[in-house]
Amino acid sequence: MLIDTYGRVATDLRVSLTDRCNLRCTYCMPEEGLQWLAKPDLLTDDEIVRLVDIAVRMLGIEEVRFTGGEPLLRPGLVGIVERVAALRPRPQMSLTTNGIGLGRTATALKAAGLDRVNVSLDTLRPDVFKTLTRRDRHKDVLEGLRAAREAGLTPVKVNSVLMPGLNADEAPDLLAWAVEHDYELRFIEQMPLDAQHGWKREGMVTAGDILASLRTRFELTPEGADARGSAPAERWLVNGGPHRVGVIASVTRPFCAACDRTRLTADGQIRTCLFATEETDLRAALRSDAPDEEIARIWRLAMWGKKAGAGLDDPSFVQPDRPMSAIGG
């Protein structure tokens, strides 16, 4: 079990498979990209599977989310999914992706055992997409979403970040589109995880702004805390249901008290929080032939020291040195 001093138990593992990405989203990284991790620093496929096995067999992990960077850029992704699906107990598996490569991989991922996907899409306007991501790939994301739905990687969740002056007015249109195509839309407040450290709390599009905008066209009925559980998104029924919309308000409505996550970076570091400034090295233990029991002990100790909250409301908050692309969403 991965328990901390506040009584929270981590049952959800986020695994970053690569720090690389084929987009350059303005809220994540600079246009020229970043200094990527050297290949020897990355966990191998065997090392990833071994760590996930330890997590589900010895530490109580029930859900595994593969992230990046962009996880579809990982050459061995389908094989990793297939091997994790064979673990006992078998964890639920999902993937967070920008969707560009889903058109050609969705069927194979479903056959390998992947349960569902989260796809990032911030706008319905191709010109705004190009401005936000610095790439002209909007239609590829839409094709990837269709492929995921047709392959049965459902529910297909769509993650959207709204930015002032770019797409802040699109919330109602995005929700209407998601309802039409049977996607579950989730808005995410912009978080201080950009490589340029340009995030400013002032002027950000907040959960309150998003809900006010949505209510100009839709009736929203809250599902409530019982339905939410430890999920990061507060959810509302749209016009009485069955469709839902979620808002992940990491900045203005933090949910740290219910957090059930542990995070593994692409280079084998344990992070207790997306906003953590400290990491615990598992790669060194792996490569020094430590037994599973020792790796589990290191992991437990790391999670025992998890802080009460992310500290975003603290004036002394220090943004993590690693951008989101390097630690997984």
Side-chain angles (χ1 to χ4, degrees), residues 36-54:
W36 308 124
L37 292 167
K39 187 173 181 179
D41 293 335
L42 293 170
L43 293 177
T44 66
D45 294 1
D46 287 345
E47 288 171 336
I48 289 169
V49 174
R50 182 184 173 197
L51 287 175
V52 175
D53 175 51
I54 291 170

Side-chain angles (χ1 to χ4, degrees), residues 31 88 98 177 179 226 234:
E31 185 171 5
R88 294 295 178 267
N98 62 31
W177 166 82
V179 168
D226 290 342
E234 294 182 75

Side-chain angles (χ1 to χ4, degrees), residues 239-302:
N239 294 339
H243 295 286
R244 294 169 172 80
V245 63
V247 179
I248 299 177
S250 302
V251 178
T252 62
R253 304 182 186 182
F255 40 86
C256 301
C259 182
D260 65 349
R261 295 193 182 105
T262 183
R263 298 176 182 274
L264 178 65
T265 68
D267 56 349
Q269 310 299 305
I270 289 298
R271 295 179 69 91
T272 60
C273 173
L274 194 59
F275 301 100
T277 55
E278 298 175 346
E279 299 176 334
T280 300
D281 188 4
L282 292 186
R283 186 185 63 196
L286 278 173
R287 295 182 180 178
S288 63
D289 297 323
D292 290 356
E293 291 76 14
E294 174 62 11
I295 292 170
R297 185 194 68 80
I298 295 170
W299 205 329
R300 288 191 190 98
L301 187 61

Side-chain angles (χ1 to χ4, degrees), residues 109-157:
L109 287 167
K110 179 64 177 180
L114 191 69
D115 295 301
R116 63 172 190 83
V117 293
N118 286 25
V119 179
S120 298
L121 180 65
D122 303 322
T123 178
L124 298 176
R125 306 168 186 163
D127 59 325
V128 176
F129 182 91
K130 188 174 181 179
T131 299
L132 277 168
T133 68
R134 306 185 179 103
R135 298 291 187 271
D136 189 12
R137 304 297 299 273
H138 190 257
K139 69 179 182 62
D140 296 318
V141 180
L142 296 181
E143 289 172 4
L145 280 161
R146 284 193 293 269
R149 185 184 60 210
E150 291 170 2
L153 292 169
T154 54
V156 176
K157 297 184 179 181

